[in-house]
Amino acid sequence: MDFEQIDQVLQKYKYRHSNIISIMQDVQGLKNYIPEEVIRYISEKMELNLARIYDIATFYKTFSLVPRGLHTIKVCCGTACHLGGSDRNLDQIKRSLQIEEGETTADRQFSLETVNCLGTCALAPVVMVEEDYYDEVKPGRVEKILLNYRSDTEG
Amino acid sequence: MKRINSQTDLENIRDTILRQRDIFTKNIRICNTGCRARKSLKVSVALSQEIKARELADTVAIKETGCHGFCELGPILVIEPENIFYCRVKAEDIPEIISETILGGRVIKRLLWQDPQSGPVTCERDLPFYREQKKHVSGNCGKIDPTNIEDYIVNNGYAALSKVLTTMSSNKVVDTVISSGLRGRGGGGFPAGIKWRICASAPGDVKYIIANGDEGDPGAFMDRSLMEGDPHSIIEGMIIGAFAIGASKGFLYVREEYPIAIEHLTIAIRQAEEYGLLGDNILGTDFSLSLGINKGAGAFVCGEETALMVSIEGKSGTPRSRPPYPAFEGLFGKPSVLNNVESFANITQIFRNGAAWYSDIGTQGSKGTKIFSLVGKVKNTGMVEVEMGTTLRKIIFDIGGGIRNSRNFKAVQTGGPSGGCIPISKIDMPVDYDSLREAGAIMGSGGMIVMDETSCMVDVARYFLNFLLFESCGKCVPCREGLKQMHTIMTNICEGRGEEGDMELLSELARFMTTASLCGLGGTAGNPVLSTIRYFKNEYEAHIFDKKCSAGVCKNLFAYEIDENLCNGCTLCAVKCPEGAVSGVKKKPHTIDIENCIKCGICFSLCKQEAIKVV
């Protein structure tokens, strides 16, 4: 881990305790998760109780303490998506990747997450892979969507 | 760019911008926020390249706007001054649009919206979707470039603020909000002016103004559209609020899941500072205000005001008991006013047009207009703004165009996980705070999710309980344990283990949680259950006693069957079935092996003959 980058984040937020959530969001942006050593480092540098940082890291859904896969799949489970059959899309993705939500495939290619609402309800049901939106998804389309990323072996 | 130091400066700059814009003969407005999910950025790039290549940049202006509202049809592109409305535009359509419409003056029929009855409609204003709306608060969305403060200023932006700071006392501002009748748009509907008055008169020199943009209700995206499409209207309202209560620092709390909203608000704050509309000595007066943005980190409960404030303080966002109310003791223990972002955009309207103008709109108890996100099984999905008191029928059938796929309306869910489901018998009900509450729902932030006969009302109630169970912070026992028990009972019902007495037990738990929970999350958690038991008792009974889910949602309570009179043996279902559970000979009716069927729904969604039935 590059601690210099973390120092820059801490300086940007002036080591203020009230900024801890923003600091952790920025730090997570570096590696898409927060390693334990980084939590310890922040705690020491900010003179902030380790338990408080751990509390925040586990309370807010955005934070991950384990590495994520190369491609993060977000299945929107908002009300409009639920009515449109997002559960079935989720089931199909789980079957295809052989993982449960919150997990990462063994080859570290995909992480599967569900989100409460992406705010694109008019296009429901929506699945997001990285920054790409897929609208009006049906279970029969899932395989085709995943195929766009399967061959991608960079990273 | 010049710092604006007075009302005259503001008027001068508006005139200058208008003069500079006289040269354009055409203006193309393209949505680049909500429509991004439909690849509008590609369309936008193609448009800029084509305009440049044809050397039209001096006469044709391109405006990358926020949400036009009719998201169903995205990407949307509107050509002014003719008001030609093109939908589902692709990058490949751009050269044709330029040569045919911009240069040739001819309308391309295939890009127009088709009215199911009367055929293609050319102008945006003639679409029934827009005709029946009253776009006041969201009026700039889809019209202006939200990343350019000049666009906002030209459209009367910051005129309300200028009027407030130069001609009104803070007392007068509070009085105006009270007399406008504005009620908070976040859900509860508490009179905004009263909240301001309490905070303004609370002792203390340091006070805070906070905007809640943590739109957590699933199925709602009005706040997202507003923040993305017209960020300055929210900021202007916040500055007015800060002046009224005497705050010099403010915060916007926005969901992390809305990156475009955060980006546009960040740009808007920076531009407002550059123009002297935020920061020290706003508009050359003694009043100063600085605004910051806090990103939510994925916790629904942070939409609750005390939890939100705790989150800004850098802690895990759990609510606390009230009193003391935040107007006395809020953020960092100081008197604070927290309003929803839509409420602040309403404030701007009130001071731009006057409290009397505002209170003429709406009903006795609910003034002004309300923005809804109209989604679900309705034909025209999108963001709509209507006068308070408009009937559900008008919203769903006139604006929304009715139910998709020739199905029937079953219910509309309003108010998110705190709200309820309203049945067909109440379709002519006016939509306002009090009528909705009477019907067992709430206004909430404005999600309006339409359901048809393929939606299972028992499953909808279970869905919201599941959502809340996951989002409950666990601080108070009624919410933490009550949700767990209700969810267990509900899951049993949906999975075929329902028993006599379950409905009574659910109602009892729901009522108990309403009284005993610490905050609104648990306090309103029973609403989806109570309202569905009230209006759709027969569906609960079918699940509990007959073990049937006629909507085909609860997997243990239905089976798929192929209607041999409708099946033409196209084999699509047999090919696509992941379990090989469909068999049959080509061009002959197929059958489903119920033992192997996992009810994934693939065949059901693919069959063009609609031969697959739920039994």
Side-chain angles (χ1 to χ4, degrees):
Chain A
M1 193 71 203
D2 184 357
F3 288 103
E4 248 175 59
Q5 281 177 308
I6 292 167
D7 286 334
Q8 281 168 12
V9 173
L10 294 174
Q11 277 155 21
K12 178 179 160 194
Y13 292 101
K14 299 177 180 142
Y15 296 84
R16 260 189 216 139
H17 288 187
S18 61
N19 288 336
I20 182 66
I21 297 173
S22 304
I23 289 169
M24 287 165 69
Q25 282 169 325
D26 279 22
V27 167
Q28 174 154 288
L30 301 171
K31 283 211 149 191
N32 214 9
Y33 86 107
I34 309 179
E36 185 186 324
E37 52 172 352
V38 172
I39 291 193
R40 291 187 183 279
Y41 184 79
I42 294 173
S43 162
E44 198 187 304
K45 282 276 171 174
M46 287 182 71
E47 295 176 13
L48 186 62
N49 197 319
L50 192 61
R52 171 145 162 220
I53 304 180
Y54 188 71
D55 172 27
I56 291 166
T58 49
F59 180 86
Y60 292 100
K61 204 180 165 190
T62 193
F63 298 117
S64 175
L65 300 176
V66 291
R68 285 174 162 131
L70 183 61
H71 310 291
T72 301
I73 304 170
K74 290 179 179 165
V75 179
C76 181
C77 292
T79 320
C81 289
H82 177 75
L83 289 178
S86 58
D87 279 357
R88 288 173 184 189
N89 293 333
L90 181 64
D91 285 346
Q92 188 58 28
I93 296 171
K94 284 182 189 171
R95 266 200 298 276
S96 178
L97 298 177
Q98 294 288 310
I99 51 170
E100 290 298 306
E101 52 181 291
E103 292 181 354
T104 300
T105 51
D107 62 0
R108 287 272 159 84
Q109 285 292 302
F110 292 100
S111 289
L112 179 60
E113 293 174 6
T114 55
V115 287
N116 285 342
C117 187
L118 290 167
T120 47
C121 319
L123 315 176
V126 175
V127 173
M128 217 176 158
V129 187
E130 296 183 57
E131 300 296 307
D132 305 328
Y133 289 89
Y134 294 91
D135 58 350
E136 297 178 32
V137 177
K138 300 249 159 61
R141 217 180 118 204
V142 162
E143 225 23 77
K144 219 174 149 186
I145 293 172
L146 294 178
L147 207 62
N148 293 336
Y149 304 88
R150 279 194 195 275
S151 56
D152 195 338
T153 49
E154 62 166 299
Chain B
M1 167 266 318
K2 183 171 158 237
R3 207 188 135 87
I4 303 170
N5 279 322
S6 65
Q7 191 152 10
T8 325
D9 275 1
L10 184 68
E11 283 158 16
N12 287 342
I13 196 163
R14 190 182 302 135
D15 290 342
T16 315
I17 304 164
L18 276 173
R19 265 199 309 280
Q20 286 165 354
R21 293 184 173 190
D22 265 354
I23 56 164
F24 295 112
T25 55
K26 300 272 184 197
N27 181 17
I28 304 177
R29 297 190 270 121
I30 176 161
C31 170
N32 240 339
T33 55
C35 286
R36 274 196 215 181
R38 285 248 173 94
K39 307 199 168 28
S40 67
L41 282 175
K42 277 189 182 165
V43 182
S44 211
V45 169
L47 187 61
S48 311
Q49 285 171 349
E50 192 71 16
I51 296 280
K52 208 172 153 195
R54 302 215 192 187
E55 295 177 354
L56 291 169
D58 291 339
T59 50
V60 180
I62 306 171
K63 209 172 281 283
E64 295 185 353
T65 70
C67 180
H68 289 240
F70 208 159
C71 309
E72 166 79 20
L73 302 179
I76 289 170
L77 184 150
V78 179
I79 298 165
E80 302 288 11
E82 297 88 346
N83 200 232
I84 299 166
F85 181 88
Y86 286 153
C87 56
R88 298 189 194 271
V89 178
K90 296 195 180 68
E92 303 88 88
D93 298 323
I94 293 299
E96 191 185 351
I97 292 175
I98 300 298
S99 26
E100 282 298 297
T101 312
I102 299 292
L103 298 172
R106 289 176 295 271
V107 173
I108 307 166
K109 278 225 169 89
R110 92 186 135 77
L111 294 175
L112 296 174
W113 179 74
Q114 302 281 335
D115 188 299
Q117 269 94 45
S118 58
V121 180
T122 308
C123 293
E124 182 182 40
R125 57 177 165 265
D126 296 332
L127 264 67
F129 179 82
Y130 291 110
R131 213 172 46 214
E132 305 292 338
Q133 292 191 49
K134 251 197 181 138
K135 279 186 169 288
H136 291 161
V137 178
S138 63
N140 273 341
C141 294
K143 296 262 160 54
I144 69 165
D145 177 353
T147 61
N148 183 353
I149 192 171
E150 291 192 349
D151 251 22
Y152 183 69
I153 291 173
V154 163
N155 286 283
N156 261 327
Y158 290 106
L161 176 69
S162 167
K163 186 159 63 180
V164 165
L165 293 187
T166 54
T167 67
M168 295 172 86
S169 67
S170 54
N171 256 334
K172 182 89 175 46
V173 174
V174 173
D175 286 343
T176 308
V177 178
I178 292 176
S179 70
S180 75
L182 171 67
R183 293 170 71 171
R185 296 299 194 243
F190 189 80
I194 306 289
K195 204 193 255 185
W196 288 21
R197 163 139 300 159
I198 296 168
C199 187
S201 50
D205 294 336
V206 179
K207 292 177 185 178
Y208 296 108
I209 190 102
I210 306 160
N212 186 349
D214 192 47
E215 185 173 53
D217 281 5
F221 61 96
M222 318 68 52
D223 293 351
R224 164 188 159 146
S225 299
L226 202 55
M227 290 186 279
E228 290 177 353
D230 195 14
H232 285 286
S233 71
I234 297 164
I235 292 170
E236 187 174 358
M238 280 185 86
I239 307 172
I240 294 170
F243 174 75
I245 64 164
S248 57
K249 181 139 184 66
F251 298 87
L252 282 130
Y253 192 93
V254 187
R255 285 183 86 199
E256 188 185 43
E257 291 88 339
Y258 291 173
I260 308 171
I262 292 166
E263 180 196 332
H264 287 187
L265 284 165
T266 308
I267 295 170
I269 289 173
R270 197 189 63 226
Q271 290 182 343
E273 283 168 351
E274 286 167 3
Y275 278 75
L277 297 162
L278 262 180
D280 292 336
N281 304 101
I282 295 172
L283 281 160
T285 66
D286 293 338
F287 181 65
S288 304
L289 174 72
S290 70
L291 284 185
I293 296 175
N294 284 65
K295 282 193 286 182
F300 174 72
V301 70
C302 287
E304 195 277 341
E305 62 175 357
T306 59
L308 188 151
M309 291 178 194
V310 172
S311 180
I312 294 179
E313 291 169 8
K315 297 168 195 153
S316 50
T318 53
R320 61 160 176 81
S321 60
R322 297 170 296 181
Y325 285 94
F328 285 108
E329 211 178 301
L331 183 61
F332 299 111
K334 307 291 182 196
S336 310
V337 155
L338 179 140
N339 284 122
N340 176 269
V341 289
E342 190 185 336
S343 302
F344 282 119
N346 270 273
I347 292 287
T348 304
Q349 290 292 321
I350 291 166
F351 287 91
R352 195 179 287 170
N353 303 302
W357 168 86
Y358 189 85
S359 63
D360 265 354
I361 307 165
T363 64
Q364 183 66 32
S366 307
K367 298 298 182 189
T369 55
K370 178 77 192 83
I371 311 177
F372 291 100
S373 77
L374 183 62
V375 295
K377 305 295 175 76
V378 69
K379 274 185 195 153
N380 309 333
T381 55
M383 171 182 72
V384 304
E385 182 176 351
V386 292
E387 182 167 2
M388 289 277 194
T390 306
T391 63
L392 279 172
R393 185 188 295 279
K394 194 165 184 183
I395 299 173
I396 294 164
F397 288 90
D398 296 347
I399 297 172
I403 310 300
R404 281 181 193 197
N405 304 327
S406 333
R407 293 210 171 97
N408 296 306
F409 173 89
K410 187 192 255 184
V412 60
Q413 207 278 345
T414 68
S418 305
C421 295
I422 304 165
I424 185 79
S425 58
K426 304 241 174 224
I427 194 81
D428 289 307
M429 186 185 92
V431 176
D432 59 57
Y433 289 99
D434 310 308
S435 309
L436 282 168
R437 195 171 291 273
E438 227 166 83
I442 60 162
M443 177 75 78
S445 57
M448 201 173 259
I449 298 116
V450 180
M451 303 174 191
D452 65 14
E453 64 263 31
T454 63
S455 316
C456 168
M457 306 314 289
V458 185
D459 171 71
V460 167
R462 187 201 55 83
Y463 163 79
F464 283 117
L465 285 178
N466 185 52
F467 176 92
L468 291 170
L469 177 67
F470 192 76
E471 293 296 343
S472 169
C473 75
K475 187 171 177 176
C476 76
V477 180
C479 178
R480 186 179 68 223
E481 298 302 325
L483 276 169
K484 194 159 184 259
Q485 295 310 321
M486 284 176 81
H487 183 259
T488 305
I489 299 170
M490 212 59 165
T491 307
N492 283 341
I493 296 176
C494 289
E495 293 182 354
R497 297 184 300 272
E499 293 171 6
E500 185 160 9
D502 277 354
M503 272 190 280
E504 292 73 14
L505 197 52
L506 281 171
S507 305
E508 194 187 328
L509 277 165
R511 279 194 294 270
F512 168 72
M513 281 176 65
T514 308
T515 340
S517 296
L518 184 58
C519 81
L521 191 148
T524 56
N527 284 353
V529 176
L530 291 173
S531 72
T532 45
I533 291 181
R534 177 171 163 191
Y535 297 118
F536 300 95
K537 202 173 177 184
N538 56 335
E539 283 195 38
Y540 278 85
E541 287 167 349
H543 279 67
I544 295 171
F545 303 114
D546 308 334
K547 313 291 177 199
K548 284 279 171 215
C549 174
S550 60
V553 175
C554 302
K555 281 188 177 179
N556 291 0
L557 306 181
F558 77 95
Y560 285 121
E561 194 180 271
I562 298 179
D563 184 334
E564 56 183 43
N565 296 319
L566 292 173
C567 177
N568 63 358
C570 76
T571 75
L572 187 61
C573 55
V575 172
K576 294 288 181 181
C577 177
E579 301 296 313
V582 185
S583 56
V585 182
K586 206 172 174 182
K587 293 189 179 167
K588 292 266 165 44
H590 282 46
T591 49
I592 296 175
D593 174 7
I594 293 175
E595 289 299 306
N596 286 328
C597 174
I598 54 165
K599 292 162 195 166
C600 66
I602 292 181
C603 58
F604 185 75
S605 70
L606 287 174
C607 182
K608 292 190 175 69
Q609 311 302 318
E610 294 188 6
I612 294 165
K613 303 290 175 199
V614 169
V615 290

